[in-house]
């Protein structure tokens, strides 16, 4: 039973994995889950903006996937021919799909509704593997070619432009950037919409909608990234936070049949999602970016039926009754039988004059390709001695003219993995400044100069920079709990014995409130590593099952 490559055109039809052709045995098995039917030429089978579209396999003829560009002109994205499948990653989710599809001449298809599609993926793992691989590769091509995407018009170095780019990149949404700092045509485009430079940045959708400096929630709603939560619906488990720990919990919960919702305030991946490369994560000898790891985990969770609501933050929790009730920042309420807290931590900031003014205007908390492009050919400063700082320094050294690492201590050995320490020591483009701390920031619109003091020599140094990367640890995201749970002195959630929970009453991750669990960086005493968070997310679901199980009685004993 094999899937063969084809000569399909469009995004990259030569890639056999992105555009597989299912063999006859696979087609016969697929047909048992859906309906085989003839479709008249030109019939629209799915439309851009639709949620939960049907899944199609071409038996005869073809399906043309198409979009309308920003000018309203129809453009063929690809043509699915005999034995090929429709869709991409959003076919798995409740997000709005990005392209439309219509039947070609003599089309005969196998149609699967959403529930039939999920059953097929679960019970036909070899076909499911082919579909998932194709969908992941198609999404990569969509991002590369901006198929179904939007246009950002604004200054590339502007803080709000970076914020919008970062949101779209981390949510795997395609876009193109018109940099008004270098592209005069972008400003001319604004005039046709009666907009000015004061409105920048603006986002233009394929529907010709224009959003002026939109926030994350407005973007998510406009682009159909947020899944709807039905009023009155009670979930088995709600995972708050979609970092590595939360996504692992979602994968295991959904794969074991629990009705699972994930609430995420920004984008999947958490702080780990901004890491340029994680080199000591098991199973990835060449390393893996945090963004790639998060994208794969998100797709895996959604494959099993977990629902993901992005750009929605939990603001309060009522744990006085059952079900538990969580309020979100958009006014919605989530009712759930159990909660897994995986909200991680937020970045610590330096206490300096003008610090807030330069956030997003030269001060960064992550080193991704976007920040590397902005810092190319210039000197940069990284503050911090942990693995995140080391990974950032090594990554930035490939594009910046020089990277300076500042730490208050004597060195890196006690706080950073040995492989990173050795790599930094061997790099001619990275310099470590021990016992050093920043004292002042200078610049106009953007950060231009950093001044630091060396306590050993007593010398101050001024340096022209294009970027300051602050990686000095984090504080737990627990404000929304509102006193519902006991916390330690640092604000992290107490669990297990530390929370007064007996070993047989919920396990290591149980909090003082039955049905509420905490995992990952937000948990007091946790190991702040990606692999540890994934392990906790995987393990906590056993405790959730134990809590949700009906009490033992004579009838079910």
């Amino acid at each position: 039973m094999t899937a063969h490559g084809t000569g399909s055109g469009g995004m990259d039809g030569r890639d056999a994995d992105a555009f597989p052709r299912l063999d006859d045995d696979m087609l016969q098995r697929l047909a048992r889950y859906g309906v085989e039917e003839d479709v008249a030429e030109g019939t629209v089978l799915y439309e851009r903006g639709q949620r939960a579209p049907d899944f199609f396999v071409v038996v005869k003829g073809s399906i043309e996937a198409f979009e309308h560009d920003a000018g309203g002109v129809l453009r063929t994205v690809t043509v699915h021919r005999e034995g090929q499948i429709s869709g991409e990653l959003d076919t798995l989710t409740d997000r709005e799909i990005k392209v439309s599809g219509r039947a070609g001449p003599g089309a005969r298809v196998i149609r699967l509704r959403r529930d039939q599609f999920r059953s097929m993926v679960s019970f036909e793992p070899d076909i499911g593997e082919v579909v998932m691989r194709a969908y992941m590769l198609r999404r990569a091509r969509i991002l590369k070619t901006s198929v179904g995407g939007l246009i950002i018009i604004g200054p590339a170095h502007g803080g709000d432009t970076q914020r919008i780019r970062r949101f779209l990149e981390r949510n795997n949404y395609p876009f193109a950037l018109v940099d008004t700092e270098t592209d005069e045509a972008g400003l001319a485009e604004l005039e046709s919409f009666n907009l000015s430079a004061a409105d920048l940045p603006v986002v233009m959708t394929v529907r010709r909608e224009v959003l002026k400096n939109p926030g994350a929630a407005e973007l998510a709603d406009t682009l159909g990234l947020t899944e709807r939560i039905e009023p009155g619906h009670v979930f088995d488990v709600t995972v708050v936070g979609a970092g590595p720990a939360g996504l692992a919990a979602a994968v295991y919960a959904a794969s074991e049949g629990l009705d699972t919702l994930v609430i995420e305030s920004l984008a999947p991946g958490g702080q780990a999602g901004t890491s340029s490369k994680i080199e000591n994560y098991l199973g990835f000898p060449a390393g893996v970016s945090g963004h790639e790891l998060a994208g794969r985990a998100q797709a895996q969770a959604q494959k099993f039926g977990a629902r993901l609501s992005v750009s929605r933050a939990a603001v309060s929790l009522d744990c006085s009754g059952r079900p538990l009730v969580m309020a979100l920042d958009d006014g919605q309420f989530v009712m759930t039988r159990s909660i897994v807290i995986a909200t991680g931590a937020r970045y610590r900031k330096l206490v300096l004059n003008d610090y807030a003014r330069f956030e997003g205007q030269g001060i960064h908390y992550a080193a991704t390709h976007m920040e590397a492009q902005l810092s190319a050919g210039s000197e940069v400063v990284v503050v911090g001695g942990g693995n995140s700082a080391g990974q950032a320094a090594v990554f930035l050294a490939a594009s910046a003219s020089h990277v300076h690492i500042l730490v208050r201590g004597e060195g890196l050995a006690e706080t950073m993995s040995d492989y990173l320490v050795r790599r930094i020591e061997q790099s001619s483009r990275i310099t470590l400044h021990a016992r050093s701390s920043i004292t002042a920031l200078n610049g106009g619109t953007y950060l231009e100069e950093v001044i630091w003091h060396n306590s050993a020599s007593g010398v101050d140094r001024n340096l022209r920079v294009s970027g300051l990367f602050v990686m000095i640890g984090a504080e737990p995201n627990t404000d929304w709990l509102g006193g519902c749970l006991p916390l330690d002195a640092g604000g992290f959630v107490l669990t297990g014995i530390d929370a007064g929970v007996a070993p047989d009453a919920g396990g290591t991750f149980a909090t003082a409130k039955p049905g509420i669990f905490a995992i990952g960086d937000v948990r007091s005493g946790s190991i702040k590593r990606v692999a540890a968070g994934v392990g906790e997310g995987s393990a906590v679901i056993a405790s959730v099952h134990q809590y949700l199980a009906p009490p033992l009685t004579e009838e079910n004993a």
Side-chain angles (χ1 to χ4, degrees):
M1 292 175 290
T2 57
H4 305 285
T6 75
S8 175
M11 291 180 278
D12 189 350
R14 296 170 298 177
D15 190 320
D17 287 334
F19 297 90
R21 174 174 289 163
L22 306 185
D23 63 26
D24 290 341
D25 176 75
M26 288 181 169
L27 292 176
Q28 289 173 10
R29 285 186 283 143
L30 270 169
R32 295 200 295 264
Y33 292 87
V35 177
E36 189 168 333
E37 58 188 58
D38 294 314
V39 186
E41 181 180 358
T43 300
V44 175
L45 301 173
Y46 49 90
E47 292 187 87
R48 177 188 171 88
Q50 182 181 352
R51 296 177 188 260
D54 291 343
F55 170 82
F56 295 92
V57 186
V58 181
V59 178
K60 292 182 180 179
S62 63
I63 296 176
E64 177 194 14
F66 65 94
E67 68 166 350
H68 291 88
D69 64 19
V73 178
L74 187 148
R75 183 171 75 91
T76 298
V77 175
T78 194
V79 177
H80 303 299
R81 304 190 186 279
E82 292 182 12
Q84 293 189 308
I85 60 175
S86 68
E88 58 98 34
L89 275 180
D90 283 338
T91 305
L92 286 169
T93 73
D94 284 330
R95 291 183 172 187
E96 294 183 4
I97 60 174
K98 298 175 179 60
V99 297
S100 302
R102 61 186 178 185
R108 183 170 180 81
V109 301
I110 301 172
R111 180 195 296 262
L112 276 68
R113 300 189 311 270
R114 168 60 61 83
D115 58 333
Q116 296 169 327
F117 175 69
R118 289 199 185 282
S119 295
M120 183 277 294
V121 169
S122 297
F123 295 115
E124 307 290 344
D126 58 332
I127 302 177
E129 180 181 350
V130 171
V131 171
M132 287 301 299
R133 185 187 302 121
Y135 280 5
M136 294 288 288
L137 290 170
R138 289 181 189 182
R139 173 55 62 90
R141 283 152 180 73
I142 283 174
L143 294 172
K144 184 177 180 180
T145 60
S146 294
V147 168
L150 46 76
I151 299 172
I152 304 172
I153 303 176
H157 288 83
D160 286 320
T161 304
Q162 293 178 44
R163 172 183 56 79
I164 293 169
R165 286 183 63 186
R166 191 174 293 115
F167 175 84
L168 295 172
E169 286 176 354
R170 292 190 60 187
N171 280 286
N172 288 320
Y173 200 94
F175 69 90
L177 172 67
V178 177
D179 181 7
T180 54
E181 294 173 334
T182 60
D183 190 343
E184 294 183 358
L187 291 174
E189 179 76 6
L190 289 178
E191 295 177 0
S192 65
F193 287 89
N194 296 318
L195 298 169
S196 68
D199 297 312
L200 297 177
V202 297
V203 173
M204 187 178 302
T205 74
V206 294
R207 300 187 183 99
R208 306 294 279 178
E209 300 165 297
V210 176
L211 310 177
K212 299 179 182 179
N213 195 15
E218 183 182 1
L219 266 176
D221 290 345
T222 301
L223 303 178
L225 296 179
T226 299
E227 297 189 15
R228 301 184 182 96
I229 301 172
E230 302 85 356
H233 182 83
V234 179
F235 292 91
D236 289 331
V237 57
T238 297
V239 181
V240 189
L247 288 172
V251 167
Y252 277 82
S255 68
E256 294 175 16
L258 297 179
D259 186 3
T260 306
L261 174 68
V262 183
I263 301 294
E264 169 55 46
S265 60
L266 181 61
Q271 289 192 30
T274 67
S275 178
S276 55
K277 182 174 285 191
I278 304 168
E279 293 193 66
N280 56 358
Y281 188 71
L282 186 67
F284 290 89
V288 59
S289 73
H291 181 258
E292 181 183 1
L293 186 65
R296 289 173 178 266
Q298 177 187 347
Q300 194 173 13
Q302 291 175 317
K303 164 189 170 182
F304 289 118
R307 299 173 59 184
L308 180 67
S309 183
V310 299
S311 76
R312 295 297 186 268
V315 294
S316 67
L317 174 62
D318 182 356
C319 55
S320 60
R322 292 293 183 271
L324 300 162
V325 180
M326 185 189 317
L328 306 184
D329 58 359
D330 64 350
Q332 291 189 93
F333 290 90
V334 174
M335 295 192 294
T336 183
R337 299 171 65 198
S338 65
I339 291 176
V340 175
I341 302 170
T343 44
R346 56 184 176 271
Y347 300 105
R348 283 203 179 100
K349 302 179 180 183
L350 297 173
V351 181
L352 294 166
N353 290 333
D354 290 325
Y355 187 88
R357 181 163 71 90
F358 291 125
E359 281 188 288
Q361 307 281 94
I363 294 178
H364 310 288
Y365 300 100
T368 68
H369 289 283
M370 181 181 77
E371 289 82 12
Q373 290 173 359
L374 296 173
S375 304
S378 304
E379 294 193 73
V380 299
V381 171
V382 176
V383 181
N387 275 11
S388 295
Q391 290 161 350
V394 171
F395 176 70
L396 292 167
S399 55
S401 62
H402 202 81
V403 179
H404 301 266
I405 302 177
L406 272 59
V407 294
R408 292 179 179 271
E410 296 292 340
L412 301 173
E414 293 184 2
T415 57
M416 189 179 293
S417 293
D418 182 65
Y419 79 92
L420 283 171
V421 174
R422 287 187 281 110
R423 195 167 296 174
I424 288 168
E425 290 173 345
Q426 293 167 5
S427 175
S428 62
R429 301 180 71 172
I430 304 176
T431 300
L432 172 66
H433 303 271
R435 299 184 64 180
S436 298
S437 55
I438 294 178
T439 56
L441 307 171
N442 293 315
T445 301
Y446 306 112
L447 177 66
E448 299 171 4
E449 182 184 55
V450 167
I451 302 172
W452 72 79
H453 176 76
N454 184 284
S455 61
S457 65
V459 175
D460 290 337
R461 178 169 180 182
N462 298 46
L463 182 70
R464 300 283 294 184
V465 300
S466 63
L468 171 63
F469 296 81
V470 181
M471 299 175 174
I472 56 174
E475 300 170 341
N477 285 316
T478 52
D479 295 345
W480 63 280
L481 295 173
C484 188
L485 301 173
L487 311 175
D488 69 11
F492 295 88
V493 180
L494 293 169
T495 60
I497 295 175
D498 293 336
V501 179
D504 61 347
T508 304
F509 311 112
T511 69
K513 290 285 186 180
I516 303 179
F517 305 84
I519 57 173
D521 289 359
V522 76
R523 187 177 72 84
S524 178
S526 66
I527 300 173
K528 307 301 189 278
R529 288 288 187 271
V530 172
V534 170
E536 293 190 5
S538 306
V540 72
I541 299 306
S543 297
V544 172
H545 274 299
Q546 180 182 345
Y547 170 75
L548 294 177
L552 190 64
T553 64
E554 293 183 0
E555 287 76 14
N556 60 25

